[in-house]
């Protein structure tokens, strides 16, 4: 039996942009819209055309550029808004208009300051007006979950009569519980005249942390469109998270009989791009795309994962484009995890040698929250008979001032030959200069694709942590970490850790060819 297809409606560029500090330039919206198309989104809501000239231009350009997804023009139930949305989306290959007006008594009394009769008439008139220009009309009774059923039915019957084709039942303030929200869809479908001729959409906010659960409840009750945002961004606590909803369907699709058209391999890249461009960090424990989502410190978990990933992971991160880096080293880590991490640097340990190293590691780990890759190799250097990865950093300095280019120098020891070499480079910023130095140590391209910098505490002596991801010419990625009170030193250590992994992998590949 074929799965029921759920249409994914992305509002990252409209509702998501309403997050404080997340405002986008038109060029940034276009860049993100292209990525949403690669992700396989069915409908993109690129903005609110009537809100500003910049938003109008962004919606207009996206409508012209993107061929596959449906483009949605957002408008209040106001003629001027509708006209702007119609003009902005007129070049779209496929389009819909999304009209809304409040339906809850508290909104009508204090925001609209209009009677029920007035609001009903506006809703009907504006849907009829929009229907002259566009065939697909989505209508949203804002704050539907705090509206009385009878008034909601009357409003929805009126807009269906005027030509609305999709009814969106929004939980605007994240008030509903899943059972309540699902039952609201069932009541609307059973009691609204003409309700069997339209499609249904869910739009949930996350004020109580229930946006994904409510959206799944709406799907179970007959909704075929779900409105989401990347990383769950949006007003207040945000919207239904795209990646969480999509992966819930993908992971449990066999049991639920559901599917989407999303390309799972693009999820991580989309998440990182939205975070980077909107300057909104992703919480460590964010499901699917958070840093800790596929990382494990407990020794029991690490041992199970190294034997079979399915022991403690219900999804494969690599299918979502997430680099495989499931082991975090700390005081709870066991020997299996240490052995696995050392092998990434070409260091093989067994038996008593591994036991001695693990003992030294535990002593260090008790004093630190997390052991970075660079710290791990320093412990290895101090262990009798220990041999570090391909390169060790012996010296590091950066000269920086306000107006001139920043200059860095890094001295590395080649642990294979014992030679020390100093590399120097300049850059517009200190990180650029540091990376330019380290790239000189290898004779193959090494691209820095991602960098995360975090403070591990709030004191004056706080340590900074840098997580660095690099990519080689064969499109393999490596992630390294560095922790230091000097954040630039942490960046250098993190990049060197990733570089060492890339070098070790090339050496291993060359060795296999020779054999």
């Amino acid at each position: 039996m074929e799965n029921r297809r759920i249409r994914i409606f992305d509002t990252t560029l409209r509702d998501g942009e309403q997050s404080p500090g997340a405002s986008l330039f038109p060029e940034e919206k276009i860049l993100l819209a292209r990525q949403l198309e690669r992700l396989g989104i069915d409908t993109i809501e690129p903005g609110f055309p009537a809100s500003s000239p910049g938003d109008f231009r962004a919606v207009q350009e996206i409508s012209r550029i993107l061929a596959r997804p449906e483009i949605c023009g957002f408008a209040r139930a106001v003629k001027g808004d509708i006209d702007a949305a119609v003009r902005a989306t007129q070049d779209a290959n496929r389009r819909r208009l999304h009209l809304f007006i409040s339906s809850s008594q508290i909104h009508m009394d204090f925001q609209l300051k209009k009677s029920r009769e007035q609001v009903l008439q506006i809703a009907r008139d504006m849907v009829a007006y929009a229907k002259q220009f566009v065939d697909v009309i989505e209508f949203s009774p804002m704050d539907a979950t705090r509206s009385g059923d009878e008034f909601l039915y009357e409003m929805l019957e009126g807009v269906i009569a005027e030509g609305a084709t999709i009814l969106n039942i929004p939980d605007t303030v994240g008030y509903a519980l899943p059972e309540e929200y699902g039952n609201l869809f069932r009541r609307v479908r059973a009691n609204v005249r003409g309700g069997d001729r339209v499609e249904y959409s869910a739009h949930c906010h996350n004020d109580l942390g229930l946006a994904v659960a409510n959206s799944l409840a709406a799907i179970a009750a007959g909704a075929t469109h779900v409105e989401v945002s990347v990383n769950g961004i949006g007003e207040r606590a945000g919207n239904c998270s795209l990646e969480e909803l999509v992966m819930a369907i993908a992971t449990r699709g066999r049991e639920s009989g559901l599917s989407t058209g999303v390309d799972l391999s693009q999820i991580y890249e989309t998440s990182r791009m939205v975070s980077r461009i909107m300057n909104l960090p992703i919480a460590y424990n964010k499901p699917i795309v958070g840093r800790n989502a596929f990382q494990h410190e407990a020794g029991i978990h690490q041992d199970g994962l190294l034997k079979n990933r399915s022991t403690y992971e219900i999804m494969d991160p690599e299918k979502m484009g997430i680099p495989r880096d499931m082991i975090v080293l700390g005081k709870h880590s066991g020997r299996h995890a240490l052995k696995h991490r050392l092998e990434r640097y070409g260091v093989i340990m067994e038996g008593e040698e591994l036991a001695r190293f693990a003992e030294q590691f535990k002593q260090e780990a008790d004093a630190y929250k997390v052991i970075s890759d660079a710290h791990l190799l320093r412990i290895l250097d101090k262990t009798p008979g220990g041999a570090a990865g391909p390169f060790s950093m012996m010296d590091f300095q950066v000269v920086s001032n306000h107006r001139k280019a920043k200059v860095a120098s890094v001295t590395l020891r080649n642990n294979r030959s014992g030679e020390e070499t100093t590399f120097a480079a300049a850059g517009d910023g200190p990180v650029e200069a540091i990376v330019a130095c380290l790239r000189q140590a290898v004779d193959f391209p090494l691209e820095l694709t991602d960098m995360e910098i975090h403070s591990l505490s709030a004191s004056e002596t706080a340590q900074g942590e840098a997580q660095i991801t690099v990519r080689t010419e064969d499109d393999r990625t490596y992630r390294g970490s560095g922790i230091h009170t000097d954040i630039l030193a942490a960046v250098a250590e993190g990049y060197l850790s990733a570089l060492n992994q890339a070098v070790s992998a090339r050496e291993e590949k060359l060795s296999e060819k020779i054999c």
Side-chain angles (χ1 to χ4, degrees):
M1 181 178 176
E2 188 175 349
N3 284 351
R4 180 161 65 101
R5 171 72 181 275
I6 303 302
R7 309 291 169 178
I8 301 300
F9 176 117
D10 184 88
T11 188
T12 303
L13 305 180
R14 199 277 299 171
D15 205 338
E17 194 197 13
Q18 293 172 197
S19 300
S23 182
L24 297 169
F25 294 116
E27 294 74 20
E28 292 172 325
K29 284 200 172 193
I30 293 167
L31 183 67
L32 288 173
R34 289 184 185 275
Q35 178 60 28
L36 292 172
E37 182 178 41
R38 285 190 287 273
L39 181 62
I41 297 302
D42 296 292
T43 302
I44 297 175
E45 191 170 57
F48 186 179
S51 65
S52 73
D55 240 27
F56 181 93
R57 181 163 70 87
V59 176
Q60 186 177 58
E61 286 299 309
I62 290 167
S63 297
R64 291 170 175 169
I65 292 169
L66 302 189
R68 192 197 59 76
E70 179 185 53
I71 305 300
C72 181
F74 184 73
R76 293 170 297 180
V78 175
K79 278 190 176 182
D81 283 20
I82 294 169
D83 290 341
V86 168
R87 291 197 309 274
T89 60
Q90 65 183 356
D91 295 326
N93 189 39
R94 294 186 302 116
R95 65 170 169 168
R96 78 168 74 165
L97 292 189
H98 182 185
L99 277 60
F100 74 96
I101 193 168
S102 292
S103 60
S104 70
Q105 194 64 50
I106 192 168
H107 277 211
M108 290 186 286
D109 288 345
F110 295 100
Q111 189 172 20
L112 298 180
K113 299 187 183 299
K114 294 184 184 298
S115 68
R116 289 188 170 198
E117 291 72 21
Q118 289 174 308
V119 171
L120 286 172
Q121 194 60 51
I122 291 169
R124 294 193 65 144
D125 289 348
M126 291 303 98
V127 169
Y129 179 71
K131 192 68 174 180
Q132 301 175 79
F133 311 106
V134 179
D135 291 329
V136 182
I137 304 291
E138 175 180 345
F139 178 80
S140 293
M142 188 162 68
D143 204 20
T145 54
R146 295 195 297 171
S147 304
D149 278 9
E150 293 307 316
F151 181 66
L152 185 63
Y153 299 161
E154 188 176 0
M155 178 178 281
L156 296 176
E157 287 177 355
V159 297
I160 290 173
E162 300 297 345
T165 56
I166 300 173
L167 298 184
N168 179 42
I169 313 296
D171 186 23
T172 305
V173 293
Y175 178 72
L177 300 177
E179 185 176 1
E180 294 173 342
Y181 194 58
N183 284 336
L184 178 57
F185 275 82
R186 293 184 182 92
R187 293 198 304 274
V188 167
R189 295 180 65 202
N191 293 292
V192 170
R193 284 174 294 182
D196 58 340
R197 302 197 305 269
V198 299
E199 297 178 79
Y200 291 87
S201 178
H203 180 109
C204 298
H205 280 262
N206 205 36
D207 298 71
L208 293 176
L210 296 170
V212 174
N214 282 341
S215 297
L216 290 170
I219 291 171
T224 53
H225 301 250
V226 181
E227 305 189 3
V228 299
S229 67
V230 177
N231 299 334
I233 63 171
E235 288 276 7
R236 305 179 313 279
N239 291 272
C240 175
S241 165
L242 181 152
E243 57 279 357
E244 293 176 31
L245 179 83
V246 167
M247 289 312 300
I249 292 173
T251 305
R252 304 302 301 274
R254 182 175 297 178
E255 295 89 344
S256 62
L258 303 172
S259 67
T260 73
V262 171
D263 180 352
L264 303 186
S265 69
Q266 293 292 324
I267 285 178
Y268 186 68
E269 176 58 28
T270 307
S271 169
R272 305 296 296 176
M273 186 181 291
V274 167
S275 174
R276 193 164 54 243
I277 292 176
M278 288 189 164
N279 197 29
L280 292 174
I282 301 169
Y284 280 11
N285 65 333
K286 171 78 169 66
I288 315 301
V289 293
R291 176 177 160 183
N292 291 350
F294 295 98
Q295 291 189 338
H296 310 264
E297 187 189 338
I300 294 172
H301 286 221
Q302 291 174 343
D303 180 49
L305 284 161
L306 292 171
K307 292 173 179 174
N308 187 309
R309 180 191 60 79
S310 298
T311 53
Y312 290 100
E313 288 183 352
I314 61 171
M315 295 167 279
D316 183 352
E318 291 176 327
K319 288 184 178 179
M320 292 171 275
I322 300 173
R324 167 58 69 187
D325 191 23
M326 63 187 178
I327 303 299
V328 176
L329 298 181
K331 64 182 182 180
H332 302 110
S333 298
R335 294 183 191 180
H336 288 91
L338 290 175
K339 182 176 182 292
H340 175 265
R341 181 61 61 87
L342 289 170
E343 286 174 354
R344 285 173 25 176
Y345 296 96
V347 178
I348 307 299
M349 279 193 180
E350 303 284 356
E352 288 301 315
E353 184 183 22
L354 179 62
R356 287 194 301 271
F357 178 75
E359 184 178 348
Q360 179 67 35
F361 172 85
K362 288 288 186 181
Q363 292 175 12
E364 295 274 338
D366 270 337
Y368 295 89
K369 293 182 178 180
V370 176
I371 298 295
S372 70
D373 293 321
H375 193 166
L376 179 71
L377 294 182
R378 287 198 296 271
I379 299 171
L380 188 66
D381 277 336
K382 293 187 291 185
T383 304
F391 295 98
S392 296
M393 188 160 57
M394 309 306 294
D395 191 29
F396 159 85
Q397 61 178 320
V398 177
V399 178
S400 180
N401 60 49
H402 179 55
R403 297 186 184 278
K404 297 180 181 178
K406 284 56 176 177
V407 179
S409 67
V410 179
T411 301
L412 299 182
R413 183 182 69 206
N414 185 321
N415 293 317
R416 307 295 192 253
S417 66
E419 295 179 358
E420 292 188 9
T421 306
T422 299
F423 304 97
D428 290 337
V431 171
E432 182 182 0
I434 292 166
V435 170
C437 286
L438 292 169
R439 278 182 179 149
Q440 296 174 52
V442 294
D443 59 359
F444 57 89
L446 199 62
E447 177 190 4
L448 193 159
T449 60
D450 193 41
M451 176 172 64
E452 293 181 32
I453 296 176
H454 308 279
S455 175
L456 297 181
S457 67
S459 67
E460 293 86 349
T461 58
Q463 290 187 313
E465 179 186 25
Q467 287 262 356
I468 305 293
T469 304
V470 301
R471 181 185 290 126
T472 54
E473 68 257 308
D474 57 356
D475 208 33
R476 297 183 66 178
T477 60
Y478 303 91
R479 180 184 291 177
S481 61
I483 298 175
H484 204 283
T485 51
D486 180 345
I487 192 60
L488 294 177
V491 169
E493 289 183 347
Y495 190 92
L496 181 60
S497 296
L499 179 150
N500 273 330
Q501 292 175 53
V503 171
S504 295
R506 288 174 73 89
E507 290 177 344
E508 183 179 352
K509 191 173 182 181
L510 181 61
S511 175
E512 289 173 354
K513 285 184 177 180
I514 293 173
C515 292

